[in-house]
Amino acid sequence: MMIPKVRKAVFPAAGLGTRFLPATKAQPKEMLPLVDKPLIQYGVEEAIHSGIQNIIVVTGRGKSSIEDHFDVSFELEQLLESKGKSELLSMVRAISDMIDISYVRQKEALGLGHAVHRAKELVGNEPFAAILSDDVISSETPCVRQLLDVYEYYGASVLALMEVPKEQISAYGVVDAEQVGDNGVGNRLFRIRNMVEKPRPADAPSNLAIIGRYILTPEIFHCVESIEPGSGGEIQLTDALKYMLRNRPIYGLKFEGTRYDAGDKLGFLKATVEFALNRHDLGESFRAYLKNLCIQ
Ligand code: G1P
């Protein structure tokens, strides 16, 4: 059987960003900068570095700065050119040259499953990646690439998994899964048996949470159409995946790398500090500054 190639990545970006108010009142959370790059650009670069060329962003009201960010900025480019700021100019150009991006609107924030479903026409009948840009992952091999390696072997949907402490488990989709042996990725590969969105700690089937990277086969669209609203009254992607389990296998990979929950204020601060420390242009002076702060 020929396993179709994953060519497209969907970025749900229509959420209201309530965890980050007031910063997100008039600005999409996807545009919050980690050091100097908006969150969504980290995700887009991860997709590109994983070999995915075609980006689809699901936006909503008040999200036009995302489109502007990836578009050409004539005025800015002209200004930088006239001032001879060639390094900044090429950085700004690189963003719009990066890739072709399509946009589709989600008129109401009805849930992650609903958001992904909005991309149905643009995705068509082929597998795709879904990337939640508030999960920022730093890793040697891009997380999406790690999932694609599993997908390209099994031809089935694959979810990114991470162990989380019990007291935080209710913030996630949680899986019940059995380890798949002898596959070249140590003991990090699982076959999913069941999953539940945002369980109470006592009801969580494991400590393995779904993180915002998915490879999805196109049956997911029919699955979203077949489910009722779930946790929080929303159409949940986890519920659609659970529905898919009825007649398709789904795999999960404990990916290698560090994940930051940049949609959360503390997670965002941690990511900012660590990304700044790793920057060749800022790291040294930022480290010296932090050392000088007499933190008790
Ligand atoms: C979403 C998903 C959840 C997943 C999480 C990862 O939840 O619904 O299954 O575990 O992303 O970040 P959200 O954070 O949007 O509430």
Side-chain angles (χ1 to χ4, degrees):
M1 184 189 75
M2 254 278 285
I3 294 175
K5 199 172 150 36
V6 172
R7 305 184 303 141
K8 302 177 180 177
V10 173
F11 286 75
L16 298 175
T18 46
R19 286 195 294 162
F20 229 114
L21 283 168
T24 46
K25 187 178 170 210
Q27 181 195 205
K29 71 171 170 184
E30 293 77 13
M31 290 302 291
L32 294 172
L34 272 187
V35 187
D36 55 4
K37 216 170 12 175
L39 289 182
I40 192 163
Q41 194 177 332
Y42 286 93
V44 168
E45 288 176 4
E46 182 183 326
I48 296 170
H49 295 145
S50 302
I52 294 179
Q53 297 301 325
N54 195 324
I55 304 291
I56 298 161
V57 183
V58 182
T59 66
R61 270 188 300 285
K63 301 278 186 170
S64 52
S65 59
I66 298 178
E67 297 178 41
D68 292 339
H69 180 71
F70 291 106
D71 198 358
V72 176
S73 175
F74 287 113
E75 296 82 355
L76 180 61
E77 290 187 17
Q78 262 171 13
L79 184 80
L80 294 173
E81 198 155 23
S82 69
K83 298 207 163 173
K85 304 215 179 226
S86 55
E87 226 173 274
L88 283 178
L89 179 63
S90 54
M91 182 206 284
V92 165
R93 280 211 176 124
I95 298 169
S96 55
D97 285 349
M98 210 180 288
I99 209 135
D100 260 344
I101 307 196
S102 332
Y103 298 90
V104 61
R105 284 268 190 163
Q106 183 190 20
K107 289 184 194 149
E108 281 178 276
L110 295 180
L112 182 58
H114 182 264
V116 168
H117 190 270
R118 292 294 298 133
K120 182 179 176 183
E121 298 305 319
L122 289 171
V123 168
N125 189 29
E126 56 180 282
F128 61 101
I131 299 180
L132 309 189
S133 45
D134 49 6
D135 281 329
V136 176
I137 299 175
S138 101
S139 56
E140 219 161 277
T141 305
C143 181
V144 168
R145 186 63 254 168
Q146 296 178 41
L147 301 186
L148 283 171
D149 288 344
V150 176
Y151 165 78
E152 283 165 8
Y153 186 81
Y154 291 102
S157 296
V158 188
L159 320 178
L161 300 177
M162 186 178 112
E163 287 179 21
V164 306
K166 206 170 178 115
E167 62 275 13
Q168 291 165 22
I169 203 79
S170 303
Y172 296 92
V174 184
V175 300
D176 173 22
E178 63 189 318
Q179 216 168 293
V180 181
D182 200 21
N183 45 60
V185 288
N187 43 17
R188 296 187 291 109
L189 183 65
F190 295 81
R191 183 156 170 181
I192 312 276
R193 281 192 290 240
N194 196 3
M195 61 189 101
V196 45
E197 179 69 11
K198 301 198 171 72
R200 289 181 308 183
D203 300 333
S206 74
N207 64 347
L208 277 178
I210 304 170
I211 299 303
R213 301 289 184 279
Y214 309 78
I215 307 299
L216 300 169
T217 54
E219 296 80 31
I220 193 69
F221 296 122
H222 169 70
C223 297
V224 172
E225 288 155 18
S226 308
I227 58 166
E228 298 293 326
S231 167
E234 296 186 343
I235 303 283
Q236 297 291 352
L237 185 58
T238 304
D239 294 341
L241 285 161
K242 182 177 167 161
Y243 187 91
M244 193 194 259
L245 273 178
R246 294 179 185 194
N247 50 26
R248 303 259 164 187
I250 300 179
Y251 292 87
L253 180 72
K254 272 207 284 184
F255 58 93
E256 281 184 319
T258 308
R259 172 261 185 176
Y260 301 91
D261 181 4
D264 167 76
K265 291 173 191 176
L266 184 59
F268 184 86
L269 287 171
K270 289 179 186 171
T272 302
V273 170
E274 293 187 33
F275 278 57
L277 285 172
N278 282 329
R279 282 275 293 254
H280 64 89
D281 55 342
L282 288 168
E284 208 177 312
S285 39
F286 189 50
R287 181 167 283 106
Y289 163 74
L290 289 179
K291 276 190 177 157
N292 264 324
L293 281 180
C294 302
I295 297 176
Q296 298 299 317

